[in-house]
Amino acid sequence: MKKLGLAGVGLLAAFPAMAQDAAAIAPYVFEKVVDKGDVAWMSISTVLVLLMTVPGLALFYGGLVRTKNMLSMLTQVFAIASVVAIIWVTYGYSLAFSSGGAWDSYVGGFDKAFLRGVDVTTMVPTFTNGVWLPEFTFIAFQMTFAMITPALIVGAFAERIKFSSLMVFIILWVTFIYFPMAHMVWWWGGPDFLAEQQTLKLIAEAAGDTAGAEAASANLAANGLLWNWGALDFAGGTVVHINAGIAGLVGCIMLGKRVGYGKESMAPHSLTMTMIGAALLWVGWFGFNAGSNFESNSITSLVIVNTFIATAAAGVAWMFAEWLMKGKPSLLGLVSGVVTGLVAITPACGFAGPMGSLVLGLGAGVACFFFVGYVKNMFKLDDSLDVFGIHGLGGIIGALATGILVNPALGGAGIPDYTSVPGTLQVAEYVFSVHFMNQVWAVGFTILFVGIGSAILFKLVDLLMGLRVANDVEREGLDLAEHGERAYNM
Amino acid sequence: MKKLGLAGVGLLAAFPAMAQDAAAIAPYVFEKVVDKGDVAWMSISTVLVLLMTVPGLALFYGGLVRTKNMLSMLTQVFAIASVVAIIWVTYGYSLAFSSGGAWDSYVGGFDKAFLRGVDVTTMVPTFTNGVWLPEFTFIAFQMTFAMITPALIVGAFAERIKFSSLMVFIILWVTFIYFPMAHMVWWWGGPDFLAEQQTLKLIAEAAGDTAGAEAASANLAANGLLWNWGALDFAGGTVVHINAGIAGLVGCIMLGKRVGYGKESMAPHSLTMTMIGAALLWVGWFGFNAGSNFESNSITSLVIVNTFIATAAAGVAWMFAEWLMKGKPSLLGLVSGVVTGLVAITPACGFAGPMGSLVLGLGAGVACFFFVGYVKNMFKLDDSLDVFGIHGLGGIIGALATGILVNPALGGAGIPDYTSVPGTLQVAEYVFSVHFMNQVWAVGFTILFVGIGSAILFKLVDLLMGLRVANDVEREGLDLAEHGERAYNM
Amino acid sequence: MKKLGLAGVGLLAAFPAMAQDAAAIAPYVFEKVVDKGDVAWMSISTVLVLLMTVPGLALFYGGLVRTKNMLSMLTQVFAIASVVAIIWVTYGYSLAFSSGGAWDSYVGGFDKAFLRGVDVTTMVPTFTNGVWLPEFTFIAFQMTFAMITPALIVGAFAERIKFSSLMVFIILWVTFIYFPMAHMVWWWGGPDFLAEQQTLKLIAEAAGDTAGAEAASANLAANGLLWNWGALDFAGGTVVHINAGIAGLVGCIMLGKRVGYGKESMAPHSLTMTMIGAALLWVGWFGFNAGSNFESNSITSLVIVNTFIATAAAGVAWMFAEWLMKGKPSLLGLVSGVVTGLVAITPACGFAGPMGSLVLGLGAGVACFFFVGYVKNMFKLDDSLDVFGIHGLGGIIGALATGILVNPALGGAGIPDYTSVPGTLQVAEYVFSVHFMNQVWAVGFTILFVGIGSAILFKLVDLLMGLRVANDVEREGLDLAEHGERAYNM
Amino acid sequence: MIIAAIKPYKLDEVREALTTLGVRGMMVTEIKGFGTQSGHTEIYRGAEYAVNFVPKMRLEMVVSDGLAEQVVDTISKTARTGKIGDGKIFVIDVQSALRVRTGETDDDAL
Amino acid sequence: MIIAAIKPYKLDEVREALTTLGVRGMMVTEIKGFGTQSGHTEIYRGAEYAVNFVPKMRLEMVVSDGLAEQVVDTISKTARTGKIGDGKIFVIDVQSALRVRTGETDDDAL
Amino acid sequence: MIIAAIKPYKLDEVREALTTLGVRGMMVTEIKGFGTQSGHTEIYRGAEYAVNFVPKMRLEMVVSDGLAEQVVDTISKTARTGKIGDGKIFVIDVQSALRVRTGETDDDAL
Ligand SMILES: Nc1ncnc2c1ncn2[C@@H]1O[C@H](COP(=O)(O)OP(=O)(O)O)[C@@H](O)[C@H]1O
Ligand SMILES: Nc1ncnc2c1ncn2[C@@H]1O[C@H](COP(=O)(O)OP(=O)(O)O)[C@@H](O)[C@H]1O
Ligand SMILES: Nc1ncnc2c1ncn2[C@@H]1O[C@H](COP(=O)(O)OP(=O)(O)O)[C@@H](O)[C@H]1O
């Protein structure tokens, strides 16, 4: 492998020169090099994302509900993660990360169902020419994303949904919403494929072979819809957070308020658990964000620094905003801000600079505090655990901010360009009107697609089996009625 | 190191050809290459296995006992892990992983007691020719296995054992049961040693030097008993889980039922803690399983994928089986299934394919649900936290299934063969009657050895100091009586 | 990178020979090589140190206070970590790790404020010639140290400090105490810089160029004060633990005892949480200690083994000492010992051998048990969560022991020497009177500097805004009064 | 002294009703209620437990004789759902009452 | 009204005995009991705390006058272990009882 | 029977005072107290909850008639802080008492 490595590097290093004069242009040759350091980092990142989900998210949500519904919360998150893991290897991975033929812009096909054709020798590209990963590494990492996203939704209609209906809804939702979204945002050929096709195109054009040139151009465009739109989403702000946030919003509206909402106290039964959950989300999120770099290099570290800063900034911002407006700095406020910061930095973590991340964190923290603390009440919205207020809104802020902070003038990494000098990663000129608008369109599309799609699925399940438990069940609590257990027997 | 790396690779690459014609056969030369990516992965894997033990296992068990015994559970797990860590570096590592001379098939010797002769330059082999690890890396990783295995046992006789007696028992148990088992299953010379000896054998035979040939053959056979039997156990299904499961079974029978068993409610005092524990077991188990690959490569990722699938499948299987048979899907059922899946995939994780793992998970989940939910009650067995029902039974199912799923025809990795082409890893032909039976023998031997051995040790300690606390102590709870504290003062 | 790698290694390998005869001495040339395995290990180490802080430390402390103050504990730790993270990237990193010009022995300057000049191409040295890390990797790792250190202090005056005052104090404390301490202990040029300057010096001397020789000598001495004193502190025993321990001691004296101290029961409200915290501290500490090696090699593994042994030994030692002296082995005793062991091994983890670590652990465990169990009461000291008794005292024991256990005769690594053969790491002769005394001086200096400095800052904040809450607030609990929440609503 | 066992979620409602009636204080305890209303069954792995108590709130208040009847009345009205398990109200004679803060006694103490 | 303090693990036994006797309901509270039975000492690092209460169960039930004696009897028989800390039983006169659900009063309410 | 509601942190003090007075046992319950002393407000993100109860300790003890007055006295003295929320003391007539362990009745049972 090392040997290949050198060869590969050699070739790549040698390449740019050639690329310049189209006259003597040569086909792009490359080797697929896997570095054990990258595999080690991706493996642990995968584990960290699982840590975010269980116990992280389960506790963050569980601590916020009433004792009588604690287990329902934990079971929902844990069961969703498990069921989706099974779906992922049966057909999910294929729908998200294989060619969809005619539908390729929107969703993948079934060629890789049951992981057909995948073995320890197949590889996937990273964001660097000549650097590849074992396909299983990629499958495992992406699996954890598919596991956590639907689990994020359940906070919006906590303490009132029927477990059976939820399971059915989730299976439909990942199939018709999540996998297509992942495909539209993340499906592309990789740096070496682009370099190869771009070179073929140049050669064909030089040789006046229009057919060949068109074929190459087609290949260059064989990516997901939003990818082709140029949407920037480093670690899944759109696919994961806006996606879950909107679905949650739709869900809490369609299920309606909890019995006693606004009248009885629905205070969190254990902020200790919520703190543990928030902390583990922070810890695990480094796998989520820095793992999305697919390599273990200086950019990985930049992502880590950004994730630290934006998170701390949003936590502190929310805490002080609350201190100022409500008189006291609360732990729940602090950790809510922390999660907001994690959400907001997700799409930007590899594109923004440290100071940009600081500003983004502060902004997102204050904005979400105001939404959750005031706006939400105005709409009498029972988004019980603020899935929209934190993941939806935070995700939108982050996605839009990415279009600004990517600007090198603001310390950003700039717009990646793999084709102008095939075989190398160049930075394209930043144009606000273009690159910011790309983000706007992507966000807009996602809101519509997910909003409408989720509404249809909720309605469907409601008609089929009813979404909500009976009032008495809600009063007694879901733990006893739905799961036959109590969380605590002290 | 890199330089060596290349050299090593070069040699290995060059080798097979030679190996073919025994005529011009040359001695097997190799370099010991350590890759920093492997060390990074093994280091984090080591940490992950500690995470499984504390707080993972401690919480998984602790949450299932009554409030008054919470601390006893936590203290037992924590103290066992600590005491065994000390034993490990004094004589445990030596008994498990050094040559035992005449006893070499059964147990190691004392050459490496107090880690004599180990320093930052000594290395141990992996499963790939030419790829080695620092010996300290191996010592640390294996240490965590020795720490968690005895801790698994205590769940079987929770809420009634005397702390002092338990400590004495554990010290005896690791000395006379665990270290020998580890030696019998995992003690071998490594790929390069086998290649070297096999080559020497061929050369000797070619030269008609029978003495030399026999010497080499002897070296080729200088492995642990079960290793020589050809037992497959990728990450410790036999050494860790069947081992602990059987010891637990024997223990709960010899200690007898808890006071009030069957009459009073012994409901778990905090399923929240149990959920956290189960989740951390899942998270940490990737270090346990994928770390057992000793390298950070595509096989590591295959192990991770398998561990995800089998676990999720078993969790979901148990949950639905319970839903069907008992009317409600419980969190405890779900997480019990999750742990069952982790146990079952352990021996198979590097040998089975993803779909094989899926089937294994589903099967193990349903089987253990039926044992724990029905069979166990028939035998009025107070295996309080189902150590046998989950670790013992799950481990047996996994060990046997490994003998089937390793079959390449079922997507398995096939039977490893390091000698037919020295210096390379070949896949030997799979023969059910041979390879499945190997597993049967290994399992049978383990059950007998551990069962009888543990029974003797329990009896011994019982006679010496009594295993069980007084009734009043059991009523008041072990926390106050044995440890002088209460878990909660709320 | 790989290419550089080889080059670098080549050069280094080639070097020693030359170094010998000053006659034909050549300038020291080197390449900065980054290994992805090192980056992967440092990245996960960074994450592990965060895990130590939240939820680790927060829970370890939180579990020990009364229910009514749980959230205050959690909020203090979480908020401190977040605020310091922001300070770190604005000016903290610069004060700790940039040249301080005239003040260079004591503190850094502001050249790197707002991370000016840092990007994905800048690098920092490790402890091995030719092996470097991305600067962002180093910034992130060191950030986590700055985050946890001040958080350690709050345990000393738990349940009575005003949140606002604490925040102000912490900001002052990191600025005037922590950053300077870090600079004084850890600020140096790195192996390649030393080799380069040493070579220049030799060349200059050979050429009789005294000016040049002096310049080079000056550069060789451009390190932090305690570094130049030759103080050994592998992972921060002085900077982190003695530092926080002394500050805590001063704090608890200046704030005074809690209302009802000695009269009312102040039993820990949840030892379960304390156990989780202690376990996560252990887990995360491997990032803290082994990450401080900056590389992923056999020394990393040695550190891991040492950290395991010393910790287990101290835990067991405390438990048995308590069993002997107080009649019962408690969980709190066990985990207190575990944390003591972690603290004590911190400065020694890369210098001592496994058996030295075992002895250190046993000694520290017993010593701290006696202080916390007896001495402390004699002084009627309300160091509520034993910050001094464990971090202060444990840190001092560890720092002094390092000066002994580093002795190769005791299995230690020996005194590192980068200059006698530039480009290589040599082991200097161990002289007890020299190297042990170095530790004594370093410890003494730290105690004085931190003690006096912290006292001034506490006094200042007290005069400005008062350190302590009103009696009624203390009675009602800080959670409701200061944060407007309750930890549990069960 | 009036002692009542009611359904937990009725507490706020009852309290408000009583306050408007002029009851100035009470002691509330979370209790396990046994009665005709049956509990539920919990299953933990193999073990099934029949939990035959129902969580209730126990109200205890001392009121002037004049108020007693209305209080009983108000509680029963507000706490009633008509479903089994609504609870019980008992009245007991009190000999003396005293307000610790002031030392006032009997009716002045309430 | 009969009020009893018993050892927690005796609760189930006592309850069953009373049910067979015809007692149809009661209120049970977890209490801290102080009495001749001494508590225990807890040690947390340096600090020792003498916990001088013992966890007990407080039973409270109203029964028709006819039943009262047997009830007291049954409780004392079933709850007795002969060891210190078995508990106490007190009887208090009740003026009126009412079942919220139906409005039935006195004996019909029980 | 004497029933008192006091501030939680006064429990130890009161208990000691009563022991010296000769009270040999009591039942203590953690209760939610409603009275003139107002509670507090909690804020969780957007939601504000007015918690209008205050945690109190409920003491319940049966003493011989002779002792009753002193007991009431001692409690009110020791529990008094003069601040609102000090609590109340009620006295109720007990018909009979019994010590489970021995079967002793009335004054001997206390
Ligand atoms: N005899 C009794 N003495 C004291 N409390 C009682 C008695 N009977 C019932 N209770 C209390 O009243 C609650 C409701 O009574 P239950 O019989 O379940 O329903 P209902 O009041 O509608 O008949 C019980 O949970 C118990 O707490
Ligand atoms: N005078 C009393 N008034 C109310 N409850 C009492 C009284 N004396 C004892 N108790 C209750 O009875 C329980 C048992 O009494 P104790 O004196 O400890 O043992 P015994 O009943 O065997 O003498 C105590 O824990 C307490 O709850
Ligand atoms: N009428 C009452 N009946 C029963 N308990 C009462 C009554 N009034 C007050 N209490 C109890 O006494 C406690 C203190 O009473 P409160 O009115 O708050 O202060 P104060 O006693 O100083 O007037 C209350 O929390 C409640 O538990």
Side-chain angles (χ1 to χ4, degrees), chain F residues 11-23 26 74-75 77-79:
Chain F
L11 179 59
D12 287 346
E13 231 174 301
V14 172
R15 218 199 64 257
E16 276 156 31
L18 290 174
T19 319
T20 47
L21 196 73
V23 176
M26 65 174 95
T74 317
I75 298 178
K77 274 209 194 50
T78 354

Side-chain angles (χ1 to χ4, degrees), chain C residues 239-250:
Chain C
V239 182
V240 174
H241 297 289
I242 300 181
N243 199 350
I246 298 297
L249 180 62
V250 173

Side-chain angles (χ1 to χ4, degrees), chain A residues 35 38 41 44 67 268-273 275 279 283 286 295-296 298 301 308-309 312 328-332, chain C residues 2 36 39-40 43-44 50 55 70-71 75 82 89 120 137 143-144 273 480-483 485 487-490:
Chain A
D35 186 287
D38 290 336
W41 174 242
I44 187 57
T67 310
H269 90 282
S270 173
L271 286 179
T272 301
M273 291 303 139
M275 186 289 289
V283 167
F286 290 101
E295 281 183 87
S296 172
S298 60
S301 297
F308 261 111
I309 302 174
K328 283 173 179 161
S330 71
L331 174 68
L332 181 55
Chain C
K2 292 267 173 305
K36 284 180 156 185
V39 176
S43 302
I44 187 58
L50 177 65
M70 176 58 165
L71 295 181
T75 312
S82 303
V89 293
V120 291
T137 312
M143 170 192 266
T144 57
M273 291 302 139
L480 282 172
E482 293 260 283
H483 307 288
E485 308 162 297
Y488 309 95
N489 292 288
M490 295 196 168

Side-chain angles (χ1 to χ4, degrees), chain B residues 92-118:
Chain B
Y93 172 65
S94 189
L95 282 185
F97 294 104
S98 74
S99 168
W103 293 79
D104 201 32
S105 309
Y106 308 99
V107 65
F110 288 97
D111 303 356
K112 295 197 164 181
F114 303 101
L115 304 188
R116 200 184 303 106
V118 179

Side-chain angles (χ1 to χ4, degrees), chain B residues 88-454:
Chain B
W88 182 252
V89 292
T90 49
Y91 65 86
Y93 172 65
S94 189
L95 282 185
F97 294 104
S98 74
S99 168
W103 293 79
D104 201 32
S105 309
Y106 308 99
V107 65
F110 288 97
D111 303 356
K112 295 197 164 181
F114 303 101
L115 304 188
R116 200 184 303 106
V118 179
D119 63 36
V120 290
T121 67
T122 52
M123 303 187 198
V124 296
T126 66
F127 295 112
T128 303
N129 293 76
V131 181
W132 291 60
L133 282 176
E135 188 165 11
F136 276 128
T137 312
F138 181 73
I139 291 172
F141 183 67
Q142 284 294 339
M143 171 192 264
T144 58
F145 278 53
M147 287 162 71
I148 194 171
T149 307
L152 288 169
I153 304 174
V154 299
F157 35 76
E159 308 195 293
R160 54 196 189 278
I161 197 165
K162 241 165 78 184
F163 185 68
S164 51
S165 312
L166 176 64
M167 285 295 119
V168 174
F169 169 77
I170 291 299
I171 294 169
L172 295 170
W173 191 83
V174 292
T175 307
F176 295 103
I177 310 286
Y178 182 79
F179 300 144
M181 274 303 300
H183 186 85
M184 286 189 267
V185 175
W186 286 328
W187 173 245
W188 72 310
D192 292 316
F193 178 77
L194 292 190
E196 184 183 64
Q197 296 303 318
Q198 176 67 8
T199 319
L200 290 179
K201 181 155 162 268
L202 296 176
I203 294 170
E205 284 168 355
D209 160 7
T210 48
E214 272 159 21
S217 308
N219 288 335
L220 286 170
N223 314 311
L225 184 70
L226 277 68
W227 179 281
N228 279 340
W229 285 6
L232 298 173
D233 184 359
F234 196 85
T238 313
V239 181
V240 174
H241 297 287
I242 300 182
N243 199 348
I246 298 297
L249 181 62
V250 173
C252 80
I253 292 170
M254 295 184 71
L255 267 90
K257 301 182 180 46
R258 284 166 291 180
V259 169
Y261 176 73
K263 280 195 252 63
E264 301 164 23
S265 163
M266 297 181 169
H269 90 283
S270 173
L271 286 179
T272 302
M273 291 302 139
T274 297
M275 186 288 290
I276 300 178
L280 293 180
L281 281 169
W282 194 355
V283 166
W285 218 291
F286 290 101
F288 194 95
N289 281 1
S292 295
N293 185 46
F294 295 153
E295 282 182 86
S296 172
N297 56 23
S298 60
I299 296 171
T300 313
S301 296
L302 169 64
V303 172
I304 289 176
V305 170
N306 286 343
T307 303
F308 260 112
I309 302 173
T311 306
V316 172
W318 188 307
M319 184 178 80
F320 280 104
E322 193 179 35
W323 204 341
L324 214 70
M325 307 295 299
K326 308 224 163 182
K328 282 172 179 163
S330 72
L331 174 67
L332 181 55
L334 175 58
V335 298
S336 303
V338 158
V339 176
T340 303
L342 289 163
V343 169
I345 194 64
T346 297
C349 59
F351 296 117
M355 292 306 127
S357 305
L358 181 61
V359 176
L360 173 54
L362 293 170
V366 174
C368 290
F369 162 73
F370 274 100
F371 180 87
V372 168
Y374 299 95
V375 184
K376 177 186 158 196
N377 292 339
M378 289 172 7
F379 291 105
K380 296 251 158 298
L381 207 64
D382 187 11
D383 175 359
S384 313
L385 312 185
D386 295 307
V387 174
F388 177 75
I390 289 177
H391 294 275
L393 187 57
I396 292 169
I397 293 172
L400 298 179
T402 304
I404 300 168
L405 299 173
V406 67
N407 185 348
L410 302 176
I415 306 295
D417 162 13
Y418 289 98
T419 50
S420 65
V421 183
T424 68
L425 172 54
Q426 301 296 315
V427 173
E429 191 206 354
Y430 174 82
V431 185
F432 179 82
S433 58
V434 177
H435 299 111
F436 180 71
M437 287 319 288
N438 286 347
Q439 299 301 96
V440 175
W441 289 123
V443 169
F445 174 88
T446 308
I447 293 174
L448 285 178
F449 175 72
V450 179
I452 296 166
S454 305

